[in-house]
Amino acid sequence: EPDVTIVSGLKDMVVFEGDDVTFRCQVSHENARDVEWKLQDVALQNNEMNEISVEKGKIHTLTLRKVTEQDVGTITFRVGPHMSTA
């Protein structure tokens, strides 16, 4: 199985309280396993506040809905040993 790497990393975002924000990270291979999103070192799950999805097989997205002041911090995307932060 080929090693999956990050082709295009996360970008820093500035949003207003109450808005949604989407982070995207492109990986080198489709169907990447061992993928994780974190906010301030807390693993995020797909739920009504966090939408985690994959577009076109390689573009992993995280949308934080109706962000608040408590959502300020570092977002981390990890695939295997590779990491990107914003």
Side-chain angles (χ1 to χ4, degrees):
E1 189 170 305
D3 186 31
V4 178
T5 60
I6 295 173
V7 176
S8 175
L10 299 176
K11 293 178 176 44
D12 291 341
M13 305 291 270
V14 176
V15 292
F16 292 102
E17 195 167 14
D19 286 352
D20 294 351
V21 60
T22 300
F23 295 91
R24 286 182 178 79
C25 204
Q26 184 175 346
V27 298
S28 58
H29 296 78
E30 292 186 10
N31 304 320
R33 292 196 299 273
D34 195 22
V35 170
E36 184 176 49
W37 287 97
K38 288 184 176 181
L39 171 59
Q40 296 293 59
D41 289 330
V42 176
L44 298 175
Q45 304 298 320
N46 198 18
N47 57 36
E48 67 278 353
M49 297 306 292
N50 313 315
E51 183 184 324
I52 297 170
S53 62
V54 180
E55 299 171 3
K56 299 179 185 151
K58 295 182 183 179
I59 301 170
H60 292 256
T61 64
L62 166 67
T63 300
L64 301 179
R65 304 246 179 253
K66 296 181 177 61
V67 295
T68 66
E69 228 175 83
Q70 286 74 42
D71 295 319
V72 170
T74 302
I75 293 285
T76 304
F77 173 81
R78 182 186 60 75
V79 57
H82 306 286
M83 224 181 277
S84 179
T85 59

